Amino acid sequence: MIYWNADLAAKITCNHQEMETLPLYIDHLVDVSKAVSQSGIQPKGDRFSSEKDTFFRYGLLLVSEGLAGEILEEILSVLLYVSESKGIEFLRECVAAEAVLSIANGEDQDTMLRKLLPYCGIDKALTMMEKRKFEHAD
Amino acid sequence: MLIERLARMYVRWGNPGQTDELNRRKKDQSILAIHQFLEAIEESSEDRKALFTQSQQSRRKAMKLSYLLLASETEPETIPDAFLRSGLLSNGQRSNKPEVLLWLAGTEAIARGIHPYIVFLIMSSYFGLETADAEFRWLQERARASTIKLEEFIVPGDLTDTIEEALKEPTRFQRTIRIAGMPLSASAFAGCSLYYIEKILVLIEPIGALILTEMIISARKNLVSDEIGTAQQAFLDLFTQEEAEPAIPEEERATGLEAFEEHNLPDPDLIRITTNIVMGAEAKILKSTLSSMNDSEIASLLRCLEALAHERLLSLISPGRQKRVLMVIQRTENVASGQMLRDAQLFAQKLLTTYAPKNLKPGVPLSIPEEVRGLISSLLSKE
């Protein structure tokens, strides 16, 4: 149950065109997650320097320090709470934070998608899952 | 879910305001204050009463209150109320809201026994991403410069014997450390040889490695070999559980709508085991575990229990919390069996963490009942 607040709702609101960019962003997060689950997080390699998304990169740095679960969720939610981003930028930060938690907790790709896709809206999420099913059937 | 937590913060604390309202000088002073807080907490680890002096010397009201509450060993649950009653969070106050909230969060986290480095990361996140990132780098350098060293100390156990093999899969090992959490991992590694601990520590970046090192030192001081053995077994259970997860071929994966669906029939064996754990664990340990869980987690746990255990669990939380938990249950739809298993396992991990590193003195045998130990092990290895 989410207790919506007007300030939060205003901060997260974005237009249809902006929402269209979200699935591509989720694809990127899933790709990084795949790479991390295959090769792990290699310390001292400055592995995330190529990640341009600063919020996501910071989350991955926290994971590389061994953080996960409740503590990581607390840090990420505080960062979102004080974030001055708005609209799609803020929504992307929310999705990135959710992806970081998923990576930290070692969740598989499907579980991760089940958490990320609803941020695109339920219709879009269902369409995308159907599309994935179709692609895999091929 | 993260968005749920964020929404709760908005409902509880309102709009955070602009963090850039703080001018550069004020921000630098606030950051310096949390650096001093970190040092004071580290120095007073054996005697929190020493923080009374810090309280007298502090000019900032929130910081003063924070030191006072910690020096008087206030229960973590009552700290938000203390901040609210202080008036520091009322609308009339000119002070910056995130700055007061960071002291509240830091005080509560220290009172909950969280490592000062992690508390520092929580506190610095209230300044926003840019500052949090800069402070994270500062903390990494501080951790790298640490001279804390471990000494040789070996306790026979399964983990020591199998660690060579386990370390061949560093990705899985890293993941197990994160899932087990630092306290349980440290208790498990406490019995390993220095050779293996050094191999484990390179899998984590400097902040995490230092936290783990300090927790290992603490576990060696406070745990007896039986307790370390139990922690090792729990860690191994988690590691094996990770291994046991079948590698489903890509084409067989749930890739469509069925990925949203799970079997809804509750597993009677899961309910029996979880109920027996709740009935077998001591009230004090159970109470402490429940205090580390949020309302949704307790509500999820209740779904995995028989009515008999509901009564016991609810009797260990305050009437106000009972109402909130029951409200969460009323608002939630039926939960899939896979989710129930994850909820019960999360509880088992938290229970183990409560048992493993706290309230145990050298020479005192582990107080975890044999039956409960077996049940936890069985629950954690369940798929």
Side-chain angles (χ1 to χ4, degrees):
Chain A
M1 179 71 181
I2 299 172
Y3 295 89
W4 281 106
N5 167 279
D7 290 322
L8 177 60
K11 195 168 165 177
I12 212 166
T13 301
C14 45
N15 64 39
H16 181 72
Q17 241 179 345
E18 288 172 329
M19 284 293 279
E20 288 294 313
T21 65
L22 207 52
L24 266 179
Y25 181 60
I26 290 176
D27 282 345
H28 166 66
L29 300 177
V30 171
D31 285 345
V32 175
S33 163
K34 265 191 217 166
V36 167
S37 68
Q38 279 162 11
S39 56
I41 297 172
Q42 291 156 7
K44 299 166 185 72
D46 209 7
R47 184 180 170 83
F48 310 120
S49 56
S50 61
E51 177 56 58
K52 290 191 177 95
D53 186 319
T54 50
F55 193 98
F56 187 46
R57 188 179 63 218
Y58 184 63
L60 291 175
L61 286 173
L62 294 173
V63 177
S64 69
E65 296 288 355
L67 299 191
E70 183 80 5
I71 296 287
L72 184 61
E73 191 176 310
E74 179 164 359
I75 295 174
L76 294 172
S77 57
V78 169
L79 285 171
L80 290 173
Y81 179 64
V82 299
S83 170
E84 277 150 27
S85 306
K86 283 178 187 160
I88 188 67
E89 209 185 316
F90 181 65
L91 190 57
R92 284 163 67 114
E93 285 181 357
C94 293
V95 178
E98 205 78 72
V100 167
L101 282 171
S102 222
I103 292 170
N105 297 334
E107 289 170 353
D108 61 30
Q109 196 185 320
D110 287 324
T111 310
M112 186 174 175
L113 277 171
R114 264 190 267 171
K115 289 182 176 176
L116 304 192
L117 287 178
Y119 281 90
C120 303
I122 194 66
D123 291 339
K124 188 84 183 169
L126 287 169
T127 313
M128 287 180 67
M129 292 307 281
E130 269 178 345
K131 193 177 158 202
R132 270 173 55 78
K133 186 181 179 183
F134 181 71
E135 282 168 1
H136 283 274
D138 284 347
Chain B
M1 217 174 159
L2 190 75
I3 194 79
E4 190 183 339
R5 187 177 189 135
L6 180 62
R8 276 203 307 270
M9 288 178 85
Y10 265 89
V11 170
R12 185 160 195 199
W13 306 119
N15 195 321
Q18 301 285 305
T19 46
D20 60 8
E21 274 175 14
L22 283 174
N23 66 37
R24 189 70 238 172
R25 194 166 146 258
K26 271 192 173 178
K27 199 171 191 174
D28 288 346
Q29 283 174 349
S30 300
I31 292 166
L32 184 65
I34 63 167
H35 284 205
Q36 288 166 347
F37 182 69
L38 173 66
E39 278 171 23
I41 292 298
E42 283 181 325
E43 281 166 18
S44 68
S45 61
E46 302 296 320
D47 178 22
R48 291 277 184 247
K49 286 187 178 63
L51 293 174
F52 273 121
T53 318
Q54 296 289 338
S55 159
Q56 285 164 346
Q57 290 166 356
S58 306
R59 283 185 185 175
R60 291 160 187 272
K61 287 178 187 171
M63 193 176 176
K64 207 178 189 63
L65 178 61
S66 174
Y67 282 128
L68 262 179
L69 292 170
L70 290 172
S72 51
E73 295 179 349
T74 310
E75 288 292 320
E77 299 82 20
T78 60
I79 286 170
D81 270 354
F83 267 82
L84 278 171
R85 273 190 262 115
S86 73
L88 286 168
L89 283 160
S90 62
N91 291 332
Q93 283 286 329
R94 277 184 297 171
S95 55
N96 182 281
K97 192 188 284 179
E99 205 195 337
V100 178
L101 289 177
L102 83 84
W103 285 105
L104 193 169
T107 312
E108 204 182 357
I110 290 292
R112 270 157 54 200
I114 293 173
H115 192 280
Y117 272 29
I118 294 176
V119 176
F120 180 85
L121 291 175
I122 294 172
M123 292 173 89
S124 58
S125 59
Y126 278 91
F127 293 104
L129 183 61
E130 197 186 336
T131 307
D133 193 30
E135 292 308 303
F136 174 84
R137 310 273 172 192
W138 175 82
L139 196 64
Q140 273 194 329
E141 286 311 311
R142 194 178 194 268
R144 278 194 191 102
S146 167
T147 52
I148 293 174
K149 290 268 179 270
L150 281 163
E151 286 169 12
E152 196 61 272
F153 179 92
I154 306 169
V155 174
D158 289 347
L159 190 64
T160 322
D161 301 338
T162 55
I163 208 151
E164 180 89 57
E165 202 57 33
L167 280 168
K168 285 179 185 163
E169 293 179 77
T171 306
R172 184 147 69 97
F173 206 90
Q174 283 174 333
R175 203 161 50 225
T176 310
I177 292 175
R178 290 198 302 268
I179 293 169
M182 293 281 192
L184 181 60
S185 302
S187 305
F189 303 151
C192 295
S193 70
L194 203 53
Y195 172 77
Y196 287 125
I197 291 179
E198 281 170 358
K199 283 188 165 209
I200 292 166
L201 291 177
V202 294
L203 296 176
I204 313 169
E205 291 279 3
I207 299 172
L210 183 71
I211 295 171
L212 205 55
T213 304
E214 288 188 2
M215 285 185 172
I216 290 171
I217 292 171
S218 166
R220 286 176 171 181
K221 275 186 197 160
N222 297 311
L223 303 180
V224 294
S225 61
D226 254 11
E227 297 153 6
I228 291 174
T230 305
Q232 289 187 344
Q233 189 52 51
F235 187 87
L236 270 179
D237 284 345
L238 285 172
F239 186 79
T240 320
Q241 189 190 347
E242 287 275 305
E243 179 187 41
E245 280 172 13
I248 305 165
E250 195 68 20
E251 63 273 16
E252 286 178 24
R253 283 195 180 187
T255 52
L257 294 176
E258 69 272 28
F260 285 108
E261 296 160 6
E262 281 184 276
H263 299 295
N264 272 319
L265 289 175
D267 172 5
D269 194 41
L270 171 75
I271 291 175
R272 182 188 55 79
I273 295 173
T274 319
T275 300
N276 288 341
I277 291 174
V278 168
M279 298 310 288
E282 302 92 318
K284 194 180 165 191
I285 295 287
L286 212 48
K287 203 171 177 178
S288 172
T289 308
L290 291 172
S291 72
S292 72
M293 295 167 74
N294 63 38
D295 295 342
S296 302
E297 285 169 349
I298 297 178
S300 304
L301 171 62
L302 282 168
R303 286 193 206 93
C304 309
L305 299 173
E306 290 168 15
L308 179 71
H310 284 189
E311 202 176 315
R312 175 153 208 240
L313 209 69
L314 289 170
S315 71
L316 295 171
I317 58 177
S318 68
R321 195 160 199 212
Q322 283 177 20
K323 276 185 198 164
R324 292 201 304 274
V325 169
L326 294 173
M327 275 167 70
V328 175
I329 293 179
Q330 280 168 7
R331 286 194 209 104
T332 320
E333 302 280 325
N334 284 342
V335 178
S337 58
Q339 185 59 48
M340 284 174 75
L341 175 61
R342 288 190 285 276
D343 293 337
Q345 286 176 335
L346 176 75
F347 161 70
Q349 285 167 22
K350 292 203 170 190
L351 188 67
L352 263 180
T353 309
T354 314
Y355 266 121
K358 292 178 188 169
N359 305 326
L360 293 164
K361 294 188 174 99
V364 179
L366 180 70
S367 59
I368 181 166
E370 200 59 44
E371 195 189 338
V372 175
R373 184 186 304 191
L375 288 164
I376 290 174
S377 183
S378 146
L379 178 56
L380 288 175
S381 57
K382 223 169 164 17
E383 292 166 35

